[in-house]
Amino acid sequence: MSIYAAYGSNMHPEQMVQRCPHSPMSGTGWLRGWRLTFSGEDIGWEGALATVVEDPDSSVFVVLYDVPEDDEARLDRWEGTELDINRKIRVRVETQEGAVLAWLYVMDAYEGGLPSARYIGVMADAAEIAGAPADYVRDLRTRNSRNVGPGNGITD
């Protein structure tokens, strides 16, 4: 079993149960030296999608999941690794128990674009559920986003 570090909407436990039913949450931590940003507006969920980029002055809150091979393959398909939308990298995550090696997805697209307000809301709710600090959740909730009108929603 490998450890997956979720920083976007996959932080939300209900979403992960749908996508990876055999992958329990195993904790939380911080991805030090990385910054949360958005890209892929042309392929995204009503707008740009979350990704991370290296930045020595930043940190990203992550939710860790123990993911067996079958769920990992399912999540790879969902995240578009076969289509080269995302690629997987290994990173070190700081937890209260010490550093752990995990994998995560990074968008293979230029940084930029606005995410939808709904996507930001899912991410902020997920971070709050997982116990992220209040200022981190507030920063998510106050990020620039775009409103999407009726009829443009996802069917998930």
Side-chain angles (χ1 to χ4, degrees), residues 64-114:
L64 302 174
Y65 294 94
D66 289 327
V67 181
E69 284 184 28
D70 288 348
D71 276 359
E72 185 174 346
R74 184 179 293 116
L75 195 56
D76 283 350
R77 284 188 299 278
W78 179 265
E79 294 294 335
T81 58
E82 295 169 348
L83 303 173
D84 294 326
I85 294 170
N86 276 305
R87 59 187 171 87
K88 288 165 61 173
I89 62 169
R90 288 195 148 315
V91 294
R92 189 165 310 282
V93 176
E94 290 183 22
T95 71
Q96 288 187 335
E97 294 78 33
V100 298
L101 189 60
W103 55 270
L104 54 75
Y105 298 100
V106 292
M107 181 78 60
D108 190 17
Y110 290 104
E111 182 178 357
L114 289 176

Side-chain angles (χ1 to χ4, degrees), residues 130-148:
D135 60 334
Y136 190 86
V137 174
R138 183 179 54 253
D139 287 348
L140 281 174
R141 291 196 191 284
T142 58
R143 279 187 175 259
N144 285 338
S145 62
R146 64 186 198 162
N147 290 324
V148 177

Side-chain angles (χ1 to χ4, degrees), residues 10-30:
N10 284 344
M11 288 188 295
H12 203 289
E14 290 175 12
Q15 181 167 292
M16 277 299 285
V17 164
Q18 291 174 0
R19 294 182 181 172
C20 297
H22 310 292
S23 301
M25 181 180 159
S26 62
T28 61
W30 290 94

